Amino acid sequence: MGGAERVERNELRERAAERAAAHDRPHPPPRVRLDLPLVRRRGWLPEYDPEAFGRTSERIARFLGTGRFIVWMTVVIIIWVVWNTTVPGHLRFDNYPFIFLTLMLSLQASYAAPLILLAQNRQDDRDRVNLEQDRKQNERSIADTEYLTREIAALRMGLGEVATRDWIRSEFQELVKDLEQRRVFPEESEERDR
């Protein structure tokens, strides 16, 4: 029984070693379909949705460019300065040189500038796409116009060979004149015969 147990333990060790080796071996990546987005591996950095971040930055940049933001910012600064100059010393949190206020304004500016640039870049991308679509639409319109111009020219050339109303009217008028002249002359010839 000792030998059978040893063989069994060896087999178990070999299977465990095979599993460990298979686990350590890089697996071939699953077949990637071109119609599906690439699934990214979990990385060290937190993941975020770039579109959601971009939309949020555009909203912030839009707000930073309004009069409402300027009014609120002015109100906050006035309250800050009045509070730190008029209240008793032990309630003040930022004394006269207002270093903490300067730090807050610098921090706000350091975040506002990149957010505004990000919003502008997104707008540039949208404008670029719109211009490309407009260019393609203009090319299609020009091609359609050229096609219609050729068709109208072909119709005019075809109508040049077709009898028009004015031409038929003029032909009828000439025939009527010819018939009148023929009728007139035979009457004259009959009168001469008498």
Side-chain angles (χ1 to χ4, degrees), residues 86-104:
T86 59
V87 298
H90 68 283
L91 293 176
R92 293 180 188 172
F93 58 89
D94 192 17
N95 287 326
Y96 166 65
F98 305 120
I99 296 185
F100 189 52
L101 175 63
T102 305
L103 176 67
M104 288 295 110

Side-chain angles (χ1 to χ4, degrees), residues 163-170:
T164 62
R165 186 179 354 160
D166 293 336
W167 181 78
I168 292 173
R169 189 175 292 145
S170 68

Side-chain angles (χ1 to χ4, degrees), residues 2-192:
E5 287 178 15
R6 228 181 289 145
V7 170
E8 196 173 311
R9 271 191 253 144
N10 285 338
E11 287 178 6
L12 288 174
R13 283 183 194 147
E14 287 175 7
R15 284 188 208 146
E18 286 176 8
R19 273 187 259 143
H23 183 68
D24 292 340
R25 235 180 300 145
H27 295 285
R31 183 173 176 184
V32 177
R33 292 181 48 185
L34 295 177
D35 60 337
L36 295 177
L38 181 64
V39 178
R40 297 193 178 261
R41 292 185 324 137
R42 183 91 175 138
W44 292 101
L45 298 175
E47 293 185 23
Y48 68 95
D49 181 16
E51 283 301 309
F53 185 74
R55 284 190 301 270
T56 304
S57 68
E58 284 179 342
R59 275 191 231 118
I60 293 170
R62 241 182 252 118
F63 176 69
L64 292 176
T66 62
R68 181 184 299 168
F69 172 74
I70 294 172
V71 168
W72 280 109
M73 192 71 158
T74 304
V75 167
V76 167
I77 291 173
I78 289 172
I79 291 172
W80 187 298
V81 170
V82 168
W83 179 271
N84 286 299
T85 55
T86 59
V87 298
H90 68 283
L91 293 176
R92 293 180 188 172
F93 58 89
D94 192 17
N95 287 326
Y96 166 65
F98 305 120
I99 296 185
F100 189 52
L101 175 63
T102 305
L103 176 67
M104 288 295 110
L105 292 174
S106 298
L107 185 64
Q108 182 267 330
S110 68
Y111 274 98
L115 288 175
I116 291 169
L117 289 174
L118 178 63
Q120 285 177 342
N121 289 339
R122 285 175 53 87
Q123 185 62 43
D124 288 345
D125 292 342
R126 279 194 299 272
D127 290 344
R128 192 175 304 112
V129 168
N130 287 339
L131 286 174
E132 182 65 25
Q133 289 174 348
D134 289 347
R135 187 185 63 78
K136 287 180 182 179
Q137 180 63 36
N138 288 341
E139 288 176 358
R140 285 192 297 267
S141 296
I142 289 171
D144 290 346
T145 304
E146 289 174 353
Y147 171 76
L148 291 174
T149 303
R150 287 191 300 272
E151 287 297 313
I152 290 172
L155 287 173
R156 282 184 179 170
M157 289 172 52
L159 283 177
E161 299 170 3
V162 174
T164 62
R165 186 179 354 160
D166 293 336
W167 181 78
I168 292 173
R169 189 175 292 145
S170 68
E171 289 295 316
F172 278 142
Q173 287 173 352
E174 288 178 19
L175 283 174
V176 168
K177 284 181 186 177
D178 283 345
L179 288 175
E180 286 176 356
Q181 284 179 354
R182 285 185 188 170
R183 206 172 85 204
V184 170
F185 289 127
E187 291 176 1
E188 290 177 3
S189 62
E190 287 176 10
E191 290 176 6
R192 285 184 192 163

